[in-house]
Amino acid sequence: MIGRALALLTLAATLAAPSVAAAQPSDTELVVVGLALVLPTYAVGVVTHEGSHAVAAKMAGAQVVKFRPWPGRDPRSGAFQLGLTRVTGLRGTTTRLGFYLAPKLTDLALLGAYAGLYYSEAYPDSSYGQLVVTVLATGFWLDFAKDTLLWSPHNDLVK
């Protein structure tokens, strides 16, 4: 999952290579492209989040019973969720904590990768390339921060 997000960041940086003949896009064009990036960014974010839960469960020896990286209602609780990973066999408080915190660690790693990209020579020169990597980083930041503001019984950090 992390590999896919990093591959997308790499692809965006590659496609955003500077072009001598290309004019700078207008603010309106950047806003439209940014809005068009919402659904792909959402998809990458949910697969990364739920995939982190699944990988953590597998590493702990648990079994992934359900992996749903699209929105819907949880059949057990009836709560609307953007994605769902249901597992069995998580034993112990430390294992459960690792399972629930796995997406936060993934978000931190990807935000660290973005910071490394930003402060290195690899940051895209193109406005579109900068937009793509910034939108992705914003999605990971929102996923990391949302649980500090949204407290519900179905929230990862509340569980």
Side-chain angles (χ1 to χ4, degrees):
M1 302 315 149
I2 295 172
R4 287 184 183 159
L6 289 176
L8 186 57
L9 282 171
T10 304
L11 177 63
T14 303
L15 292 176
S19 172
V20 176
Q24 289 295 323
S26 69
D27 290 346
T28 303
E29 290 172 324
L30 289 173
V31 168
V32 169
V33 171
L35 290 173
L37 289 171
V38 168
L39 287 178
T41 301
Y42 160 79
V44 168
V46 173
V47 168
T48 303
H49 181 103
E50 297 304 329
S52 296
H53 283 307
V55 168
K58 284 295 199 182
M59 288 174 62
Q63 181 180 11
V64 178
V65 177
K66 184 170 191 163
F67 179 78
R68 189 194 72 209
W70 56 83
R73 294 217 173 264
D74 182 353
R76 288 188 185 171
S77 68
F80 179 79
Q81 296 174 320
L82 296 176
L84 176 70
T85 302
R86 190 171 310 281
V87 301
T88 59
L90 286 176
R91 307 221 189 285
T93 304
T94 305
T95 304
R96 295 181 73 77
L97 184 63
F99 171 77
Y100 287 118
L101 289 178
K104 302 300 177 202
L105 299 175
T106 301
D107 290 336
L108 282 175
L110 290 170
L111 287 170
Y114 172 78
L117 186 67
Y118 184 82
Y119 289 108
S120 73
E121 297 291 322
Y123 196 70
D125 292 329
S126 154
S127 295
Y128 289 118
Q130 292 174 6
L131 177 68
V132 169
V133 295
T134 302
V135 168
L136 283 168
T138 302
F140 294 126
W141 178 81
L142 286 171
D143 185 50
F144 180 80
K146 75 179 185 317
D147 293 337
T148 60
L149 301 174
L150 303 174
W151 291 90
S152 81
H154 312 290
N155 181 305
D156 286 346
L157 295 183
V158 172
K159 291 177 183 180

